[in-house]
């Protein structure tokens, strides 16, 4: 029960930070500073756990798993935002709305693939990383092919 | 003092679970997109649906150790993306040529 309470606190902190970034429309802390800070905190925790007598490999794996959980919590907010965006436009089907929806589905794909890559790296699942990376490479081609198909269909309809 | 390994397992389980719920909400939006609108819009909705279904299945394999879910997830993710590109190329051509 104590662990669940700490998990809720951890989720609120991570999701709140991501929501703050989205609300601001820019990075609250620049990634070039945030990533070294997180790595430094990880090293301090590893040294602390090593000092308390825990095996080094177990300490690193445990902290990596907590980081992977943080990435999963962080991916939740953009995914829900994209879902709200998909519901937002109702029954409008004009060209501009198509391109907006294409962007929103691109956000869904990107969040899904980035979560797969980074969570897979942190829990030592290289199959997850490989599939996520392959999918990440294919996302721009998908979006471009869909927009291209819509554009030429629309031009054809205008020509008739 | 809290057991750190227990906290890591619980946090990962609930993180994956909450992310799967978020994927399901996005999947409902994608189904709605796939059932309304014209052909290319439907293709876009189906593409987003295969993505969220694939990621959810992969997470199910990780947290519940269901082995067949991984194969289904890989097939969905790879064939979904490749199929979207192929069908978009078909829709682009006039009269299916």
């Amino acid at each position: 029960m104590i662990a669940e309470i700490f998990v809720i606190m951890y989720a609120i902190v991570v999701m709140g930070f991501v929501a703050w970034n989205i609300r601001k429309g820019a990075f609250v802390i620049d990634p070039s500073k945030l990533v070294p800070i997180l790595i430094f905190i990880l090293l301090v925790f590893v040294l602390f756990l090593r000092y308390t007598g825990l095996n080094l490999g177990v300490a690193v794996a445990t902290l990596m798993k907590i980081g992977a959980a943080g990435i999963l919590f962080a991916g939740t907010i953009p995914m829900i935002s994209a879902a709200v965006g998909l519901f937002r436009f109702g029954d409008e089907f004009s060209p501009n709305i198509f391109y907006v929806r294409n962007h929103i589905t691109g956000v869904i794909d990107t969040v899904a693939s980035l979560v797969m890559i980074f969570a897979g790296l942190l829990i030592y699942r290289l199959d997850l990383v490989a599939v996520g990376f392959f999918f990440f490479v294919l996302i721009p081609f998908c979006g471009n092919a869909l927009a291209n198909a819509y554009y030429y269909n629309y031009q054809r309809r205008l020509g008739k | 003092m809290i057991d750190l390994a227990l906290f890591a397992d619980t946090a990962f389980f609930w993180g994956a679970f909450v992310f799967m719920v978020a994927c399901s909400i996005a999947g409902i939006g994608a189904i709605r997109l796939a059932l309304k609108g014209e052909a290319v819009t439907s293709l876009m909705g189906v593409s987003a649906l295969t993505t969220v279904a694939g990621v959810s299945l992969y997470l199910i394999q990780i947290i519940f150790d269901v082995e067949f879910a991984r194969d289904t997830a890989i097939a969905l993710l790879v064939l979904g993306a490749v199929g979207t590109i192929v069908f978009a190329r078909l829709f682009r051509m006039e009269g299916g040529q």
Side-chain angles (χ1 to χ4, degrees):
Chain A
M1 189 63 194
I2 300 287
E4 274 84 0
I5 292 170
F6 275 98
V7 167
I8 290 170
M9 288 163 59
Y10 182 55
I12 287 172
V13 168
V14 173
M15 291 161 82
F17 183 71
V18 175
W20 185 20
N21 278 276
I22 292 175
R23 180 75 183 85
K24 195 184 171 192
F27 289 112
V28 176
I29 303 173
D30 197 69
S32 61
K33 293 174 187 163
L34 182 65
V35 173
I37 290 171
L38 289 176
I39 292 173
F40 178 74
I41 292 171
L42 176 78
L43 287 175
V44 168
F45 268 100
V46 167
L47 288 175
F48 173 73
L49 290 175
R50 187 79 188 94
Y51 178 73
T52 56
L54 202 63
N55 185 13
L56 186 64
V58 175
V60 171
T62 306
L63 290 172
M64 292 283 199
K65 201 165 190 181
I66 293 172
I71 284 172
L72 287 166
F73 281 127
T76 303
I77 297 292
M79 193 63 96
I80 290 177
S81 307
V84 170
L86 279 182
F87 285 112
R88 172 72 180 76
F89 292 104
D91 290 339
E92 297 175 49
F93 290 103
S94 63
N96 287 342
I97 299 297
F98 175 83
Y99 295 125
V100 169
R101 283 183 170 135
N102 197 9
H103 172 67
I104 293 170
T105 51
V107 169
I108 291 175
D109 293 347
T110 310
V111 170
S113 63
L114 288 179
V115 163
M116 285 168 74
I117 291 171
F118 289 110
L121 279 175
L122 289 173
I123 58 170
Y124 305 117
R125 284 288 300 266
L126 288 184
D127 54 338
L128 191 59
V129 180
V131 174
F133 186 74
F134 182 76
F135 189 61
F136 187 71
V137 169
L138 280 179
I139 291 168
F141 296 100
C142 274
N144 181 269
L146 285 168
N148 218 349
Y150 185 82
Y151 175 77
Y152 282 102
N153 272 314
Y154 189 68
Q155 293 295 323
R156 208 175 298 136
R157 265 185 285 150
L158 286 181
K160 281 182 182 174
Chain B
M1 188 64 187
I2 182 172
D3 182 8
L4 203 62
L6 178 66
F7 172 71
D9 288 340
T10 313
F12 189 79
F13 176 81
W14 283 108
F17 197 80
V18 169
F19 188 72
M20 277 195 285
V21 171
C23 282
S24 306
I25 296 169
I28 292 169
I31 290 173
R32 184 179 166 280
L33 198 61
L35 294 179
K36 291 185 173 183
E38 55 193 273
V40 186
T41 313
S42 299
L43 184 62
M44 191 167 68
V46 172
S47 168
L49 183 65
T50 55
T51 304
V52 293
V55 176
S56 300
L57 278 171
Y58 225 122
L59 289 175
I60 284 172
Q61 192 273 325
I62 291 171
I63 60 176
F64 295 120
D65 283 333
V66 183
E67 283 303 320
F68 72 88
R70 182 177 62 184
D71 306 332
T72 317
I74 291 172
L76 268 177
L77 288 170
V78 174
L79 294 181
V82 174
T84 303
I85 294 170
V86 171
F87 274 96
R89 295 288 295 177
L90 286 177
F91 282 141
R92 188 191 150 171
M93 285 187 268
E94 193 169 7
Q97 292 170 0

